[in-house]
């Protein structure tokens, strides 16, 4: 199949939600008794009924207008998930402005780079003002460039006078600027309209088979990430119950996510692969009273889907009523708003076992037995979601047949307008209504999409394509290695380097490097030219936690990585 198959008609937001702008769907949600509950790592609850959220958003909008924010202005928000953040976010929409959610720093050591990057993004989108969490107010004030007011979520939430007049936002108005993760370059701002966002939200609701008066969605995903934001927007627009947790609370106590799934009888959740590994470990090491029998969808996306990780989660969760068919692979990207391909809620996850040798651009992904020496298990991300077309194309843009590996191209009603104020970058990825994703993949015989890796991250040695994900995965399984590794090629050579962070308590770095090299040679056939041991936190990551291979390479080659030990082949 190469895009000629019949395309399922996508649901229209006006039909599914009754409106096509975010302020209007929030007002409709406010007529129901449901809402959002914000919890911390101890699962202490702060309920926010949609009626309360809508009324608060109107007050925040009034405050923004009085601060000089006009329709179409960009308003940056720097805050983690909290009631004040939600009021600010929906208040920006109610004011007819455009929210731009910016990430928080991972560590105190990141603060100088964090401030520089925040100012770069503020300048790029020409933000009218900045709304920050109360705890960041003093820190941000004085560090923001330009003549921009800094408002806190607390002071906006305490506004008493609501915005006057009806919602004037139109479906084709700019609704949001979503910064990309920046795994292969500088983050760019994806421009999305209200219709595009709510169309993708409608598609997600339909594919996940949500039921308005029964579904409960639990999420800890950061809302500056497309997967987190669209999940919340979908649940609110469809008017289901939601439970949200700040991502830092999940990371501080990963068990709290599974505890929330149980306590609130969640029917759906979405997370990247690593979270399921942490959840499995928690259930195995800390058995407790849980009920996961209500879960119908455990979406897995945003990073490579590992068979071993999900098998561990399913095995650990089975003791608490988790059904294997709840595991749902997903593929999406900010440039398509979010969802592109997704497994169907009632069907079990399917793995495609193929030979690594066949995963070359233009080659055939050849099925092999699961136990074959060079087998690579890849998740079938399901068929395209309704309204979306997928083609696998070779470098010159010619479509490829099923099982041939090439770049994934996407045509969707939710495709971005373009990158904000960047026509050159937009022209490089949008061609005649199709998006070049930069991802490598292929289609199975039944039309399912399989993702192999990133085109720009591919390492070519002696004419062979080597996937950095494979090397990082094998290295991370060595005892003493943290699950943060980066494999990359040295420019203009066929040399490959694998960098890894060492776990606390492992001080013999040279011995650990030798063990990593040995394991890579045994499992992947081709050993890297060098392995490099680094301290915790040395490998740069994006705001959503993805490893930045290109930046790791740059820092290594310029001597800016604090190397603990290195071993040549």
């Amino acid at each position: 199949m190469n895009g000629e198959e019949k395309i399922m008609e996508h649901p229209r937001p006006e039909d599914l939600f009754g409106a096509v702008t975010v302020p209007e769907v929030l007002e409709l949600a406010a007529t129901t008794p449901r809402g959002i509950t914000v919890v911390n790592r101890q699962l202490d609850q702060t309920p926010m009924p949609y009626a309360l959220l809508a009324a608060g958003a109107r007050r925040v909008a009034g405050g923004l207008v009085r601060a000089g924010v006009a329709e179409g202005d960009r308003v940056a928000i720097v805050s983690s998930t909290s009631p004040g953040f939600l009021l600010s976010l929906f208040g920006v929409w109610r004011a007819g402005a455009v929210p731009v959610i910016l990430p928080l720093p991972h560590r105190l050591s990141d603060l100088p780079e964090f401030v520089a990057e925040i100012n770069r993004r503020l300048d790029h989108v020409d933000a009218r003002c900045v709304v920050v969490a109360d705890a960041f107010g003093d820190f941000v004030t004085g560090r923001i460039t330009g003549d921009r007011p800094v408002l806190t979520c607390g002071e906006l939430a305490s506004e008493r006078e609501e915005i006057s007049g009806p919602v004037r936002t139109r479906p084709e108005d700019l609704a949001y600027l979503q910064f990309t993760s920046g795994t292969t370059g500088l983050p760019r701002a994806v421009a999305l309209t209200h219709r595009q966002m709510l169309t993708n939200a409608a598609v997600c609701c339909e594919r996940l088979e949500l039921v308005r008066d029964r579904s409960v969605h639990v999420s800890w995903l950061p809302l500056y990430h497309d997967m987190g934001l669209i999940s919340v927007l979908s649940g609110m627009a469809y008017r289901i119950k939601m439970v949200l947790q700040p991502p830092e609370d999940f990371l501080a106590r990963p068990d709290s996510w599974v505890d929330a799934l149980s306590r609130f009888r969640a029917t759906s959740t979405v997370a990247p692969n690593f979270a399921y590994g942490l959840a499995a470990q928690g259930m195995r090491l800390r058995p407790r009273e849980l009920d996961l029998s209500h879960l119908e969808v455990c979406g897995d996306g945003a990073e490579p889907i590992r068979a071993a990780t999900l098998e561990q989660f399913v095995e650990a969760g089975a003791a608490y009523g988790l059904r294997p068919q709840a595991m749902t692979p997903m593929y999406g990207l900010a440039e398509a708003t979010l969802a592109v391909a997704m497994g169907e809620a009632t069907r079990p996850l399917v793995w495609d076992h193929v030979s690594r040798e066949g995963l070359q651009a233009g080659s055939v992904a050849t099925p092999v037995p699961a136990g074959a020496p060079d087998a690579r298990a890849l998740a079938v991300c399901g068929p395209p979601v309704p309204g979306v077309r997928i083609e696998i194309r070779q470098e010159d843009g010619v479509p490829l047949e099923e099982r041939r590996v090439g770049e994934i191209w996407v045509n969707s009603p939710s495709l971005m307008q373009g990158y904000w104020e960047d026509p050159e970058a937009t022209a490089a990825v949008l061609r005649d209504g199709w998006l070049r994703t930069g991802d490598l993949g292929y289609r199975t015989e039944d039309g399912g999409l399989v993702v192999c890796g990133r085109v720009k991250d591919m390492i070519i040695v002696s004419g062979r394509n080597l996937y950095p994900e494979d090397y990082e995965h094998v290295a991370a399984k060595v005892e003493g290695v943290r699950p943060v590794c980066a494999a990359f090629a040295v420019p203009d050579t066929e040399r490959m380097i694998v960098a890894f962070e060492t776990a606390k308590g492992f001080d013999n770095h040279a011995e650990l490097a030798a063990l990593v090299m040995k394991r890579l040679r045994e499992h992947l056939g081709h050993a890297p030219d060098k392995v490099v041991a680094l301290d915790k936190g040395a490998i740069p990551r994006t705001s959503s936690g993805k490893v930045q291979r290109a930046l790791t390479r740059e820092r290594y080659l310029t001597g800016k990585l604090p190397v603990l030990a290195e071993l040549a082949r």
Side-chain angles (χ1 to χ4, degrees):
M1 295 187 182
N2 60 8
E4 297 302 322
E5 68 272 22
K6 182 179 179 181
I7 307 302
M8 293 176 59
E9 185 176 351
H10 67 84
R12 302 191 316 157
E14 49 263 63
D15 297 331
L16 195 63
F17 304 142
V20 199
T21 69
V22 176
E24 289 173 326
V25 294
L26 176 58
E27 294 294 345
L28 288 172
T31 64
T32 74
R34 293 178 284 277
I36 298 172
T37 299
V38 180
V39 300
N40 60 17
R41 71 193 71 172
Q42 285 80 36
L43 302 193
D44 299 324
Q45 303 176 39
T46 303
M48 289 198 71
Y50 291 129
L52 177 66
L53 181 58
R58 291 192 293 271
R59 292 196 303 273
V60 168
L64 290 170
V65 170
R66 286 186 286 279
V69 173
E71 293 177 23
D73 280 350
R74 275 73 61 200
V75 176
I77 305 176
V78 184
S79 174
S80 188
T81 305
S82 68
F85 169 84
L86 293 170
L87 289 171
S88 298
L89 173 63
F90 285 97
V92 173
W93 272 317
R94 184 61 180 84
V98 181
V100 187
I101 306 174
L102 302 180
L104 299 173
H106 289 298
R107 300 173 292 270
L108 288 176
S109 60
D110 293 338
L111 288 179
E113 289 185 8
F114 166 74
V115 171
E117 179 61 16
I118 288 296
N119 280 316
R120 188 191 76 80
R121 297 188 186 197
L122 291 175
D123 290 340
H124 180 58
V125 303
D126 190 21
R128 176 68 183 82
C129 69
V130 183
V131 177
V132 301
D134 294 29
F136 289 99
D138 293 339
F139 174 77
V140 170
T141 302
R143 291 179 170 86
I144 296 299
T145 58
D147 185 21
R148 297 185 177 95
V150 176
L151 309 171
T152 66
C153 293
E155 63 183 298
L156 285 174
S158 63
E159 289 280 347
R160 295 187 178 278
E161 188 176 341
E162 296 185 359
I163 192 171
S164 59
V167 174
R168 291 189 291 270
T169 305
R170 296 162 299 183
E172 307 311 323
D173 286 345
L174 180 67
Y176 188 61
L177 292 177
Q178 168 70 64
F179 275 97
T180 60
S181 61
T183 52
T184 57
L186 283 175
R188 294 189 171 97
V190 172
L192 300 168
T193 67
H194 285 266
R195 179 174 288 281
Q196 288 167 330
M197 292 186 74
L198 289 172
T199 293
N200 205 264
V203 165
C204 291
C205 291
E206 184 172 277
R207 179 56 62 89
L208 297 180
E209 301 182 12
L210 299 183
V211 179
R212 190 158 281 152
D213 59 356
R214 182 178 63 81
S215 294
V216 180
H217 184 78
V218 172
S219 175
W220 57 265
L221 295 175
L223 299 186
Y224 55 74
H225 191 275
D226 50 356
M227 193 160 71
L229 181 65
I230 297 301
S231 294
V232 170
L233 193 58
S234 300
M236 183 277 294
Y238 202 59
R239 311 193 275 280
I240 66 169
K241 295 179 182 178
M242 282 190 288
V243 178
L244 304 182
Q245 181 185 42
E248 63 272 16
D249 280 41
F250 159 73
L251 292 171
R253 183 174 168 262
D255 285 355
S256 61
W257 175 41
V258 178
D259 292 346
L261 294 175
S262 173
R263 179 179 299 184
F264 297 101
R265 301 163 72 92
T267 59
S268 64
T269 191
V270 179
N273 195 250
F274 82 89
Y276 291 103
L278 293 176
Q281 183 181 56
M283 287 187 283
R284 188 172 61 251
L285 297 180
R286 291 173 290 278
R288 54 205 187 273
E289 190 173 329
L290 296 169
D291 180 7
L292 304 181
S293 63
H294 299 278
L295 274 169
E296 298 168 354
V297 173
C298 293
D300 190 335
E303 65 181 26
I305 301 172
R306 300 291 180 186
T309 302
L310 294 194
E311 287 168 1
Q312 291 164 7
F313 179 73
V314 168
E315 181 180 353
Y320 303 108
L322 178 69
R323 292 167 291 179
Q325 60 266 36
M327 302 313 304
T328 306
M330 300 175 170
Y331 169 72
L333 64 168
E335 288 86 345
T337 301
L338 179 62
V340 170
M342 190 185 305
E344 296 178 274
T346 56
R347 296 190 179 185
L349 188 154
V350 175
W351 297 100
D352 199 37
H353 298 274
V354 296
S355 168
R356 281 192 179 87
E357 293 296 324
L359 292 178
Q360 317 289 320
S363 297
V364 176
T366 307
V368 297
D374 71 335
R376 185 178 178 193
L378 296 171
V380 180
C381 291
V385 298
V388 170
R389 297 174 65 193
I390 294 175
E391 288 187 354
I392 308 299
R393 300 189 184 185
Q394 56 191 32
E395 194 171 347
D396 59 6
V398 174
L400 295 167
E401 298 300 318
E402 62 190 32
R403 289 208 161 269
R404 286 203 174 272
V405 178
E407 184 178 3
I408 301 169
W409 289 53
V410 174
N411 177 280
S412 165
S414 299
L415 282 189
M416 65 176 181
Q417 291 183 312
Y419 294 119
W420 178 258
E421 299 293 330
D422 197 340
E424 185 176 334
T426 300
V429 298
L430 288 181
R431 306 279 180 84
D432 300 321
W434 287 83
L435 170 72
R436 296 187 62 173
T437 67
D439 291 319
L440 282 172
Y442 61 92
R443 298 286 294 273
T444 59
E445 291 82 355
D446 60 358
L449 175 67
V450 178
V451 183
C452 304
R454 292 284 298 170
V455 173
K456 290 185 178 179
D457 288 336
M458 189 62 60
I459 301 168
I460 302 175
V461 177
S462 300
R464 295 173 56 204
N465 286 354
L466 304 179
Y467 287 81
E469 295 92 346
D470 288 342
Y471 285 80
E472 293 159 0
H473 180 60
V474 171
K477 293 177 75 67
V478 175
E479 186 178 3
V481 175
R482 298 185 71 245
V484 185
C485 306
F488 54 87
V490 177
D492 303 318
T493 74
E494 291 197 347
R495 295 171 53 219
M496 176 175 57
I497 294 173
V498 176
F500 64 89
E501 295 183 1
T502 57
K504 185 177 180 181
F506 285 80
D507 298 325
N508 194 333
H509 305 119
E511 183 178 312
L512 187 57
L515 185 56
V516 169
M517 179 71 83
K518 179 175 182 288
R519 194 70 60 84
L520 291 171
R521 182 179 289 112
E522 290 173 347
H523 285 260
L524 298 174
H526 180 90
D529 291 85
K530 190 178 289 186
V531 294
V532 180
L534 305 170
D535 206 353
K536 178 182 177 182
I539 293 177
R541 290 189 278 175
T542 69
S543 59
S544 56
K546 297 177 183 177
V547 167
Q548 293 179 294
R549 299 184 184 104
L551 185 54
T552 304
R553 176 178 59 206
E554 177 189 326
R555 290 183 179 178
Y556 175 75
L557 295 176
T558 56
K560 294 179 181 177
L561 277 184
V563 175
L564 301 175
E566 56 185 349
L567 176 69
R569 183 171 58 186

